[in-house]
């Protein structure tokens, strides 16, 4: 939780200092991209402020750390808007990752719940 | 009206709380059939951890894009998280030429999409809040009399889930749901803001053709929506069509005189077309409007670019006798 907050602060601080770099992709020079314009209208200022270049570099690094083939990363990032990248930069390690391993996680959940049930902490297996 | 509103309200309330989820029949809008199933929806049994690619291939198939989960996995799967993120499913849908339309978090929105023939990709939490088990599945139908949701899910080609159980699993996952739609198609129930976010996304992904079709459809449906005109202008500008871009930005600025982005972009295309006096005037408006906002520095950059251009160019204004928004 603290690391998460620290990470968010870093992203926010760096983004403010890098704001003068300006948005280069995907909109042309001198043009405010539609996604950014919408973010500003919706007053997601903190997101719009996080400039593309920073968020892109941050997420790229984290994705490679999380095992994505470096050759695939740019294509994946290219499909996202600047506000989406900024959000991802802040939560890529915590955001829900739908994966549902057929048995492994289910087994763990079941055992944990069973232990909690037997120790009387919860009673979800009883019909109410 | 009231008769229709009551069940709807019941459905909304029901999905809001884990405690008192009502059966589907209590919340089914009167205009909806008692049972519905999109049987033609393709099925891709998932491999371990690959419910994201499988669910995405399912909805893409239903929207006319034939793609295998194995081809999508390199675009969405995060190996060390053993799963796929919502944002990346959205991005991958765009790469396949489809808009990722994110639905509002209420059951009625899911049903409305089914009624239009679109299966819904959604996130479930099959665990508990503290120990989540995230899972993507595709809602393809329901049966109010038997009180079930019908899903393509994991290795199950046809899974029936008691409606309340389904609604709670969706609620625990933040009620996230999306459909993939072909460019130019707008859901009957669509909200302009959601649709334009989806369109701005495919524009960001570099698919200008799809973005143009979608902005045109948005303009036909919501002619007074400034962001639809701004987006259309951005695509025209990227295509090199200055006259069309200037028209579209001008409409955006007329509809939303306080929108700094529309003024900035109008100034940029005017400068590119040699109309320096009007470009400077629009840019001044933009700067005043954007003072203290996230756009201020971008607009300063535009000004620097325009001034550098203005000193070297002796070009005639391409739109000499036009009126621009005040």
């Amino acid at each position: 939780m603290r690391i998460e907050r620290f990470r968010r602060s870093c992203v926010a601080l760096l983004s403010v200092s890098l704001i003068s770099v300006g948005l280069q992709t995907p909109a042309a020079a001198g043009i405010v991209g539609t996604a950014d314009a919408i973010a500003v209208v919706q007053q997601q200022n903190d997101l719009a402020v996080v400039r593309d270049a920073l968020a892109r570099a941050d997420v790229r690094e984290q994705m490679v750390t999380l095992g994505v083939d470096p050759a695939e990363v740019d294509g994946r990032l290219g499909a996202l808007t600047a506000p989406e990248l900024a959000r991802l930069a802040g939560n890529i390690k915590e955001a829900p990752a739908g994966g549902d391993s057929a048995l492994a996680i289910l087994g763990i959940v079941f055992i944990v719940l069973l232990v909690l049930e037997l120790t009387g902490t919860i009673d979800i297996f009883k019909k109410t | 009206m009231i008769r229709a509103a009551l069940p709807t309200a019941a459905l909304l309330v029901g999905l809001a709380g884990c405690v008192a989820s009502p059966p589907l029949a209590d919340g089914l809008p009167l205009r909806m059939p008692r049972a519905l199933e999109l049987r033609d929806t393709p099925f891709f049994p998932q491999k371990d951890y690959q419910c994201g690619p499988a669910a995405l291939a399912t909805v893409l198939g239903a929207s006319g894009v034939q793609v295998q989960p194995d081809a999508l996995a390199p675009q969405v799967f995060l190996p060390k998280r053993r799963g796929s993120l919502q944002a990346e499913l959205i991005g991958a849908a765009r790469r396949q030429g489809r808009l990722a339309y994110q639905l509002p978090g209420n059951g009625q929105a899911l049903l409305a999409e089914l009624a239009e023939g679109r299966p819904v990709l959604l996130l479930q939490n099959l665990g508990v809040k503290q120990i989540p088990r995230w899972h993507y599945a595709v809602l393809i139908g329901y049966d109010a009399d038997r009180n079930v949701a019908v899903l393509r899910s994991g290795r199950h080609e046809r899974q029936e889930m008691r409606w309340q159980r389904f609604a709670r699993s969706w609620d625990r996952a933040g009620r996230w749901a999306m459909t993939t739609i072909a460019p130019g198609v707008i859901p009957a129930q669509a909200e302009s803001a959601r649709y334009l976010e989806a369109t701005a996304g495919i524009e960001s992904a570099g698919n200008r053709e799809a973005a143009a079709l979608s902005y045109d459809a948005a303009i036909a449906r919501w002619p007074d929506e400034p962001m639809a005109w701004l987006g259309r202008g951005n695509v025209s500008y990227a295509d090199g069509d200055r006259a069309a871009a200037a028209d579209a930005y001008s409409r955006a600025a007329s509809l939303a005189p306080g929108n700094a982005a529309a003024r900035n972009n109008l100034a940029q295309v005017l400068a590119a077309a040699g109309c320096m006096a009007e470009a400077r005037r629009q840019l001044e408006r933009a700067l005043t409007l954007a003072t203290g906002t996230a756009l201020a520095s971008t607009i300063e950059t535009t000004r620097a670019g325009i001034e550098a251009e203005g000193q070297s160019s002796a070009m005639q204004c391409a739109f000499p006798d036009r009126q621009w928004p005040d």
Side-chain angles (χ1 to χ4, degrees):
Chain A
M1 219 39 216
R2 276 167 106 185
I3 292 169
E4 162 64 0
R5 210 169 290 158
F6 174 70
R7 152 158 230 102
R8 274 174 206 270
S9 321
C10 281
V11 169
L13 274 174
L14 277 168
S15 61
V16 170
S17 62
L18 281 181
I19 186 171
S20 55
V21 171
L23 182 71
Q24 288 308 317
T25 53
I31 292 293
V32 178
T34 318
D36 276 9
I38 291 174
V40 170
V41 168
Q42 294 174 346
Q43 307 206 312
Q44 306 170 349
N45 277 356
D46 55 328
L47 298 179
V49 161
V50 177
R51 287 293 137 213
D52 213 39
L54 173 83
R56 217 167 272 272
D58 189 5
V59 177
R60 177 185 290 114
E61 190 190 318
Q62 295 194 60
M63 276 196 172
V64 173
T65 308
L66 291 171
V68 176
D69 179 353
E72 294 285 347
V73 174
D74 282 336
R76 287 167 69 150
L77 298 185
L80 301 177
T81 67
E84 285 166 348
L85 278 167
R87 235 168 291 156
L88 207 51
N91 72 3
I92 191 167
K93 293 206 170 92
E94 300 80 26
D100 187 25
S101 69
L103 288 172
I105 297 176
L106 182 63
I108 294 166
V109 170
F110 180 74
I111 289 166
V112 169
L113 290 180
L114 194 64
V115 169
L116 290 173
E117 176 84 21
L118 291 175
T119 56
T121 315
I122 57 171
D123 54 1
I124 62 165
F125 292 110
K126 295 190 188 85
K127 285 229 165 174
T128 48
Chain B
M1 242 353 244
I2 292 169
R3 277 179 67 212
L6 274 176
T8 306
L11 183 72
L12 297 182
V13 171
L15 286 172
C18 289
V19 185
S21 261
L24 174 59
D26 291 2
L28 193 68
L30 290 179
R31 61 188 154 74
M32 296 288 295
R34 296 294 293 175
L36 186 162
E37 184 171 341
L38 304 174
R39 291 195 174 79
D40 295 339
T41 311
F43 171 59
F44 302 96
Q46 77 163 81
K47 299 175 180 167
D48 260 353
Y49 311 118
Q50 299 288 354
C51 63
L56 184 60
T58 304
V59 291
L60 283 171
S63 71
V65 178
Q66 310 308 325
V67 59
Q68 292 294 317
D70 284 348
L72 293 172
Q75 302 183 10
V76 298
F77 188 59
L78 267 186
K80 290 193 182 159
R81 299 251 3 235
R82 293 181 175 174
S84 309
L85 303 178
Q86 291 143 289
E88 294 219 87
L89 295 186
I90 290 170
R94 292 173 186 153
R95 293 173 79 180
Q96 305 298 318
R98 288 295 175 266
L99 273 71
Y101 181 73
Q102 298 183 70
L103 298 171
N106 63 68
Q108 211 196 356
L110 305 182
L111 302 182
E113 287 297 296
L114 292 176
E116 284 187 54
R118 280 184 295 273
V120 180
L121 194 170
L122 42 81
L123 182 67
Q124 293 176 290
N125 177 358
L126 299 177
V128 294
K129 207 175 161 201
Q130 291 79 5
I131 314 166
R133 180 177 159 227
W134 306 114
H135 176 64
Y136 293 109
V138 178
L139 180 71
I140 61 161
Y142 62 84
D143 186 333
D145 295 324
R146 296 176 48 236
N147 192 39
V148 290
V150 184
L151 303 155
R152 299 253 187 279
S153 179
R155 291 178 175 84
H156 304 284
E157 178 162 10
R158 188 178 183 286
Q159 181 185 50
E160 287 192 355
M161 207 169 182
R162 202 169 73 93
W163 182 263
Q164 289 94 321
R165 200 173 145 239
F166 162 74
R168 283 196 297 265
S169 73
W170 186 51
D171 184 62
R172 281 195 301 272
R175 302 181 184 205
W176 183 82
M178 64 172 252
T179 47
T180 54
I181 46 183
V185 174
I186 303 185
Q189 312 280 324
E191 298 168 12
S192 60
R194 288 178 184 278
Y195 184 79
L196 289 170
E197 258 192 279
T199 305
I202 206 162
E203 180 198 332
S204 283
N207 190 336
R208 295 212 292 270
E209 203 178 329
L213 276 169
S214 306
Y215 284 128
D216 286 343
I219 286 168
R221 173 92 166 258
W222 301 290
D224 294 335
E225 177 55 67
M227 287 298 119
W229 288 102
L230 180 87
R232 190 62 185 89
N234 282 348
V235 176
S236 294
Y237 186 82
D239 284 341
D241 187 345
R242 287 172 187 161
D247 279 342
Y249 292 145
S250 177
R251 288 293 290 270
S254 302
L255 290 164
N259 188 287
R263 301 274 182 183
N264 172 82
N265 294 7
L266 178 57
Q268 174 66 31
V269 69
L270 286 172
C275 312
M276 293 308 296
E278 186 61 28
R280 290 198 180 96
R281 198 178 72 84
Q282 292 294 338
L283 205 60
E284 284 312 316
R285 297 294 308 270
L287 275 170
T288 313
L289 291 167
T291 308
T293 75
L295 287 180
S297 68
T298 309
I299 296 171
E300 276 298 346
T301 310
T302 310
R303 173 148 75 180
I306 286 178
E307 292 311 328
E309 191 77 11
Q311 281 160 8
S312 61
S313 154
M315 193 177 158
Q316 289 286 308
C317 175
F319 321 115
D321 300 317
R322 270 204 63 168
Q323 292 287 309
W324 304 102
D326 257 339

